[in-house]
Amino acid sequence: MVRLFRMGNCRGILPTVNFCLLSMPQYKHTQMNTCKSTLMCLLPSLLAPILTVGCSGEVDPAAAIAKVNESNIQRVANLYFTFQMKHNWHGPSDEAEFKSFLQNYNPSKLTRIGISPKAIDEVFISERDGQPFKIRYSVLGSSMGSSEPVIFESVGVAGRRQVGFLNMTQREVDATEYEKLWQGDSISPRDTSAAVREEL
């Protein structure tokens, strides 16, 4: 889920993590009791995923959700994460199970992230190379966050292919790194910031 914040005239959207701005004088005493983890307070790295919608403007949660679902590789990785959330953090065992899950999922939530409920197969195609994604199935996730690579372009562009991770990042890699990621031998650092994500 997303959380709204306001700082002066600026509004934006925060990830759902338990932290507070203890170093700010006006919050130092009033927020102390509600902060659940002092280690999470005011860590600069937690501020990176903030999506600021603008100063003196209205917050648009729908726009924030759309921002992290702009491409099929993002959508499929986020849906993989959603599957894990609903299956004790186990990834789908194969394509049939994954697609069956999506075909029976809330159509309005699929539409919200740019997927036609009647055209589930289309989201499994990369817009860049027009080819089906390769997907690492049966990947184990975690309620604490995971950065496992799960969605892979098959062909890519100009000798480089995109890889989608469970921490909502994507990376374009060469053939050597691609194979390491596909085998699960090279994992990017764990994202413990709980970046902006709405349960789809």
Side-chain angles (χ1 to χ4, degrees):
M1 301 294 293
V2 294
R3 178 178 298 172
L4 307 182
F5 79 95
R6 177 181 293 181
M7 187 177 295
N9 292 326
C10 296
R11 295 177 180 177
I13 296 174
L14 283 176
T16 52
V17 290
N18 294 321
F19 71 97
C20 54
L21 303 177
L22 293 182
S23 68
M24 296 177 63
Q26 64 268 40
Y27 290 108
K28 185 171 184 180
H29 297 293
T30 61
Q31 296 294 318
M32 181 68 74
N33 292 331
T34 61
C35 183
K36 296 181 180 179
S37 175
T38 55
L39 293 177
M40 298 296 284
C41 294
L42 203 60
L43 286 177
S45 62
L46 290 177
L47 301 181
I50 295 175
L51 300 178
T52 302
V53 182
C55 295
S56 301
E58 293 300 320
V59 172
D60 186 357
I65 295 170
K67 181 68 176 176
V68 294
N69 289 282
E70 292 180 325
S71 66
N72 282 347
I73 196 167
Q74 289 177 305
R75 297 181 184 108
V76 179
N78 288 335
L79 289 167
Y80 195 112
F81 176 86
T82 301
F83 183 100
Q84 289 181 323
M85 286 181 63
K86 296 181 178 296
H87 293 85
N88 198 29
W89 301 106
H90 288 82
S93 60
D94 55 28
E95 181 178 304
E97 184 179 27
F98 196 11
K99 288 186 176 181
S100 176
F101 170 75
L102 299 181
Q103 288 163 356
N104 291 283
Y105 205 62
N106 187 325
S108 65
K109 291 187 176 183
L110 294 177
T111 301
R112 183 169 57 188
I113 63 170
I115 298 174
S116 170
K118 296 182 179 180
I120 294 296
D121 289 348
E122 292 182 5
V123 76
F124 286 82
I125 305 295
S126 169
E127 301 98 330
R128 297 196 337 142
D129 61 18
Q131 299 299 312
F133 292 119
K134 292 173 59 178
I135 299 177
R136 289 179 66 217
Y137 289 106
S138 300
V139 172
L140 186 64
S142 169
S143 60
M144 299 299 293
S146 173
S147 59
E148 288 276 357
V150 288
I151 314 301
F152 295 72
E153 281 190 326
S154 299
V155 177
V157 176
R160 296 180 67 83
R161 289 171 284 185
Q162 278 191 346
V163 177
F165 298 79
L166 287 175
N167 62 2
M168 301 178 72
T169 63
Q170 303 80 46
R171 194 160 78 237
E172 194 175 77
V173 300
D174 60 22
T176 299
E177 186 175 7
Y178 183 95
E179 290 303 320
K180 288 182 178 179
L181 291 171
W182 178 252
Q183 297 300 325
D185 293 337
S186 179
I187 307 301
S188 62
R190 167 171 285 192
D191 175 18
T192 57
S193 66
V196 176
R197 189 196 302 266
E198 166 131 342
E199 182 183 347
L200 303 176

